[in-house]
Amino acid sequence: SYSWANASGGLSVLSVVSVLALIVLSHYFPNQYTEQEAKKLGVVGWVKNTSQGTVTGQVQGPEEKVNEMKSWLSKVGSPSSRIDKTSFSNEKEISKLDFSDFNTRY
């Protein structure tokens, strides 16, 4: 699990969550932008373009960072894509991360 030093110098543990994402697009969604954003935020998981023209993936990390990633996936995305709809499912607290980094699956 994640832990950070808080202002008083002690350790505080943040809630760690896992969420599945489905993004419906109008244009190609290069996943290197998603990887860059995930690494910048410090979340782990994966992303994949599907044969139906959507993007799916899983994001895990501190709840605050996962929420930032969800917002980015919903509103920003890659420069060449138009996001028509996003849906997030199976959001739950987890006791440990299932992934050690964020990558693109093929």
Side-chain angles (χ1 to χ4, degrees), residues 56-71:
T56 188
Q58 186 167 7
V59 179
Q60 295 183 350
E63 186 172 17
E64 176 187 329
K65 298 297 183 186
V66 169
N67 287 337
E68 286 181 50
M69 189 69 189
K70 285 167 59 178
S71 178

Side-chain angles (χ1 to χ4, degrees), residues 39-81:
K39 288 175 179 174
K40 186 174 93 178
L41 290 173
V43 295
V44 298
W46 55 272
V47 66
K48 176 181 174 180
N49 290 317
T50 72
S51 57
Q52 293 81 33
T54 62
V55 173
T56 188
Q58 186 167 7
V59 179
Q60 295 183 350
E63 186 172 17
E64 176 187 329
K65 298 297 183 186
V66 169
N67 287 337
E68 286 181 50
M69 189 69 189
K70 285 167 59 178
S71 178
W72 184 88
L73 289 166
S74 299
K75 299 174 182 153
V76 182
S78 71
S80 60
S81 67

